[in-house]
């Protein structure tokens, strides 16, 4: 830990608290990040004093402040993300009647950045926008990996291994050999499917958002819903819409326009 800077530790705390909207006590932050309690307390106090975190007066738990989330929203607003992408997601949600999400690739990870709900009543899937999808165990993750060179795809998975977040139901891919075969199949047909993996009873279809420079996908568009509705016939019915939406997002993807060298 001696070689880890205070900045890195602070960022780790922000990343941890993002998954705990009800907050965590200092002792739990220290335990999860393997920090001395005194250091965890000092860094949390700095975040609180700068209004990036708040502390509950009753429980003494720390959680992220609204200001922290607003930074991301401000960034998305400045690059025009919502104005450009949201209408495409909304139309796809209306056409499919299911939950639609868009994730972006950044530093070897996928991050949820926008969503639209197409189901207004009855059985529906309505998850929170928490940490991005596990690469080897989700339709989005595998769809994105399929656009990388095989060695690069396996290297990305190898960073975290085949270990799943504790809220995941499981995965049908538990080895590099299995994953390689699956990625080749996904590359051939152009999209990925996940059944009862991240959540029991939920099926997702995902298509990669193509890069205009013909590199790896910049993200993925997915449609997810109760497995009882997401049959093979349903897959054939809605996949053209998902693929079209992914292409449409790729055509107006804002990141290259603002950050091109």
């Amino acid at each position: 830990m001696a070689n880890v800077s205070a900045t890195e530790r602070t960022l780790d705390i922000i990343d941890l608290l993002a998954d705990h909207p009800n907050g965590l006590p200092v002792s739990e932050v220290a335990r999860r990040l393997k920090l001395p309690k005194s250091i965890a307390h000092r860094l949390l106090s700095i975040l609180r004093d700068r209004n990036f975190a708040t502390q509950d007066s009753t429980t003494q738990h720390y959680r992220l402040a609204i200001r922290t989330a607003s930074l991301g929203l401000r960034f998305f607003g400045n690059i025009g993300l919502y104005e450009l992408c949201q209408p495409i997601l909304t139309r796809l949600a209306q056409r499919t009647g299911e939950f639609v999400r868009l994730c972006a690739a950044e530093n070897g990870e996928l991050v949820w950045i926008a969503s639209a709900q197409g189901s207004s009543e009855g059985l529906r899937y309505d998850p929170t926008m928490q940490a991005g999808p596990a690469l080897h165990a989700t339709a989005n993750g595998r769809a994105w990996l399929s656009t990388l060179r095989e060695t690069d795809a396996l290297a990305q998975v190898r960073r975290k291994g085949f270990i799943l977040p504790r809220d995941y139901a499981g995965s049908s891919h538990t080895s590099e050999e299995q994953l390689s075969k699956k990625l080749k199949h996904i590359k051939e047909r152009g999209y990925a499917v996940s059944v009862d993996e991240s959540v029991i009873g939920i099926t997702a279809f995902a298509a990669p958002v193509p890069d205009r420079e013909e590199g790896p996908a910049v993200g993925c568009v997915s449609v997810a819903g109760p497995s009882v509705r997401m049959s093979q016939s349903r897959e054939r019915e809605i996949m053209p819409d998902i693929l079209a939406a992914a292409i449409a997002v790729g055509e107006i993807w804002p990141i290259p326009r603002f950050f091109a060298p």
Side-chain angles (χ1 to χ4, degrees):
M1 294 298 296
N3 295 325
V4 180
S5 69
T7 301
E8 290 175 297
R9 290 169 172 170
T10 303
L11 293 174
D12 287 339
I13 290 175
I14 292 174
D15 191 46
L16 173 64
L17 293 181
D19 290 329
H20 296 84
N22 293 324
L24 291 172
V26 175
S27 58
E28 185 63 11
V29 171
R31 184 187 71 80
R32 289 175 182 248
L33 298 180
K34 298 179 182 179
L35 293 173
K37 187 175 178 180
S38 59
I39 292 178
H41 181 266
R42 178 167 60 85
L43 296 177
L44 284 164
S45 296
I46 292 173
L47 288 172
R48 181 196 60 202
D49 293 344
R50 294 295 303 273
N51 296 320
F52 288 105
T54 62
Q55 185 178 23
D56 188 277
S57 59
T58 302
T59 66
Q60 299 300 302
H61 289 190
Y62 287 87
R63 65 171 179 80
L64 292 183
I66 296 299
R67 179 187 180 189
T68 309
S70 72
L71 292 176
L73 295 176
R74 194 167 81 200
F75 171 74
F76 285 157
N78 286 336
I79 64 174
L81 180 70
Y82 288 124
E83 291 82 356
L84 293 169
C85 296
Q86 196 63 46
I88 298 172
L89 303 184
T90 299
R91 285 195 298 270
L92 181 59
Q94 291 171 344
R95 288 182 65 87
T96 62
E98 303 292 353
F99 186 70
V100 173
R101 275 198 283 196
L102 172 65
C103 61
E106 185 176 63
N107 298 325
E109 302 282 350
L110 293 178
V111 182
W112 300 122
I113 58 174
S115 66
Q117 177 60 263
S119 178
S120 60
E121 58 184 21
L123 189 61
R124 73 182 204 174
Y125 179 50
D126 200 7
T128 57
M129 299 283 277
Q130 294 186 344
L135 297 182
H136 72 284
T138 60
N140 283 280
R142 294 195 290 261
W144 178 66
L145 288 173
S146 73
T147 70
L148 277 63
R149 293 182 301 178
E150 181 180 7
T151 54
D152 292 339
L154 294 179
Q156 296 294 354
V157 174
R158 203 175 290 131
R159 290 167 55 198
K160 293 186 177 180
F162 288 85
I163 300 173
L164 289 171
R166 65 179 133 184
D167 58 337
Y168 273 59
S171 175
S172 58
H173 301 83
T174 56
S175 72
E176 292 187 5
E177 182 180 4
Q178 285 180 321
L179 183 60
S180 291
K181 290 180 179 179
K182 174 57 72 172
L183 294 182
K184 289 177 183 177
H185 178 60
I186 294 170
K187 192 176 188 69
E188 290 173 358
R189 71 177 179 180
Y191 66 93
V193 180
S194 173
V195 181
D196 298 338
E197 290 189 85
S198 56
V199 180
I200 291 292
I202 297 297
T203 292
F205 308 134
V209 175
D211 176 35
R212 288 182 291 184
E213 303 299 324
E214 299 185 355
V218 296
C220 293
V221 171
S222 63
V223 171
S227 296
V228 293
R229 288 202 300 261
M230 306 292 267
S231 62
Q232 287 188 334
S233 61
R234 181 76 168 139
E235 177 182 337
R236 291 191 295 270
E237 177 188 345
I238 68 175
M239 272 316 306
D241 288 329
I242 300 173
L243 291 166
I247 291 173
V249 171
E251 289 175 346
I252 52 88
W253 189 253
I255 301 299
R257 177 163 55 118
F258 284 85
F259 296 99

